[in-house]
C-alpha cells in the first residue's frame, strides 16, 4: 500500500509548522517511516524559488507570476521528493501544498479557481493529499503570534489583514467542499491541546 500523504494548511501564525514537528516526533517514537517537507521548497531548486517568492522587493510581483512560481516549485518537489518517498513506503508530512495555492492565489489574489485547479493538477501530476489538516485561527490572533519569530515579515506576511482574512475564508470553503479529505482543527488552543486533536484524527485514519 502507498504510504499516506498528509498536508498541513492554515494562515500565518496558525501553528501548523509546530504541529508538523509534533506529529513527526510522535511518528518517530512509533517507528513509522516518514519524511517532513514543506512548500514552497523541499529541493534545492524549489528552495531557491521560495527565496524568490518570499523576498520583499520594490518590483511589483503580479498574481500570475506568483502563481506560476509556486507551481514550478511544486512540480519539482512532487517529482523529486514526494512521489519517491511515498512509493518507497515513507509517509510524507508536508507543511502546505496545493490548497495553499487555491486559498492564497485563488481566493485572496482573485485568480480563477478552475484555472488554479488545472495548474495544481498539472504541477502535482494529479497527486492529492490523503488527508489535509487545516489549522483554523482568526488572522488577528495569528498575527499576534508572528513577531515572536525573531525576523522581519516576508513578502506574503506583509500583506494586509484583509488579504489574510480572505485566505482564511478560502481555506474554510475548500474544507466545506472536501470534508472527507480536509479536517478543520481549531488552532487557537495551546499547541499540546491542538496536537491531541491531530493524534485522534491520524489514529482514526491511518492507525498511527
Ligand atoms: P510558510 O510561511 O507557511 O512557509 O509559507 C510561505 C508563504 O507562501 C505563506 O505566506 C503562504 C504562501 N503560499 C502561497 O501563497 N501559495 C502556495 O501555493 C504556497 C505553498 C504557499
Amino acid at each position: 500500500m502507498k504510504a499516506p500523504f498528509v498536508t498541513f494548511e492554515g494562515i500565518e501564525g496558525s501553528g501548523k509548522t509546530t504541529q508538523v514537528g509534533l506529529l513527526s516526533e510522535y511518528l518517530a517514537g512509533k517507528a513509522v517511516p516518514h519524511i517532513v517537507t514543506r512548500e514552497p521548497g523541499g529541493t534545492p531548486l524549489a528552495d531557491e524559488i521560495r527565496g524568490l517568492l518570499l523576498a520583499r522587493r520594490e518590483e511589483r510581483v503580479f498574481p500570475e507570476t506568483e502563481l506560476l512560481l509556486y507551481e514550478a516549485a511544486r512540480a519539482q518537489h512532487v517529482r523529486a521528493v514526494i512521489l519517491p518517498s511515498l512509493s518507497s513506503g515513507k509517509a510524507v508530512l508536508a507543511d502546505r501544498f496545493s490548497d495553499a495555492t487555491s486559498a492564497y492565489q485563488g481566493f485572496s489574489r482573485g485568480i480563477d479557481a478552475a484555472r488554479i485547479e488545472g495548474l495544481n493538477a498539472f504541477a502535482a501530476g494529479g497527486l492529492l493529499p490523503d488527508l489535509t489538516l487545516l489549522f483554523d485561527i482568526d488572522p488577528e490572533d495569528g498575527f499576534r503570534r508572528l513577531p515572536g519569530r525573531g525576523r522581519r515579515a516576508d513578502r506574503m506576511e506583509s500583506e494586509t489583514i484583509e488579504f489574510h482574512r480572505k485566505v482564511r475564508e478560502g481555506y474554510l470553503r475548500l474544507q466545506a467542499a472536501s470534508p472527507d479529505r480536509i479536517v478543520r482543527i481549531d488552532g487557537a488552543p495551546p499547541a499540546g491541546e491542538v496536537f491531541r486533536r491531530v493524534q485522534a484524527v491520524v489514529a482514526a485514519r491511518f492507525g498511527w
Side-chain angles (χ1 to χ4, degrees):
M1 198 189 82
K2 179 181 137 297
F5 177 33
V6 183
T7 62
F8 294 66
E9 299 280 1
I11 61 164
E12 332 287 322
S14 61
K16 65 185 167 47
T17 306
T18 302
Q19 297 299 322
V20 176
L22 290 172
L23 182 57
S24 175
E25 267 174 43
Y26 176 74
L27 294 182
K30 298 186 121 205
V32 175
H34 69 282
I35 64 159
V36 170
T37 188
R38 69 169 177 185
E39 288 211 346
T43 87
L45 172 57
D47 277 327
E48 281 188 45
I49 298 173
R50 179 186 180 88
L52 294 178
L53 277 161
L54 299 185
R56 295 162 66 117
R57 60 183 77 240
E58 290 299 314
E59 181 180 354
R60 178 175 173 205
V61 181
F62 294 92
E64 294 79 359
T65 313
E66 185 179 278
L67 168 64
L68 292 169
L69 286 170
Y70 279 112
E71 298 292 7
R74 176 162 307 129
Q76 187 70 13
H77 184 215
V78 165
R79 290 161 184 80
V81 175
I82 299 179
L83 291 176
S85 178
L86 295 176
S87 52
S88 75
K90 280 191 202 151
V92 174
L93 310 184
D95 190 337
R96 297 196 188 280
F97 194 62
S98 301
D99 294 308
T101 315
S102 299
Y104 283 78
Q105 282 67 51
F107 285 94
S108 207
R109 295 273 192 234
I111 299 176
D112 175 65
R115 186 179 292 281
I116 293 205
E117 243 179 70
L119 283 171
N120 279 345
F122 177 66
L127 179 71
L128 273 179
D130 298 297
L131 171 68
T132 297
L133 300 169
L134 170 59
F135 298 91
D136 185 42
I137 189 171
D138 183 86
E140 313 261 354
D141 295 340
F143 270 67
R144 267 194 288 278
R145 290 177 176 179
L146 288 184
R149 291 179 174 182
R151 58 162 176 78
R152 193 157 175 247
D154 65 36
R155 190 177 63 84
M156 300 298 284
E157 290 165 349
S158 311
E159 282 292 343
T160 60
I161 195 88
E162 255 328 295
F163 175 86
H164 290 98
R165 278 207 189 93
K166 281 198 247 162
V167 174
R168 181 195 194 188
E169 176 61 31
Y171 272 130
L172 292 174
R173 287 209 212 167
L174 292 170
Q175 195 276 326
S178 302
D180 291 337
R181 175 175 66 84
I182 308 179
V183 176
R184 177 190 169 278
I185 293 182
D186 183 3
E193 215 172 293
V194 174
F195 185 62
R196 279 196 287 282
R197 182 74 213 291
V198 170
Q199 259 179 304
V201 174
V202 299
R205 293 277 170 136
F206 310 121
W208 285 346

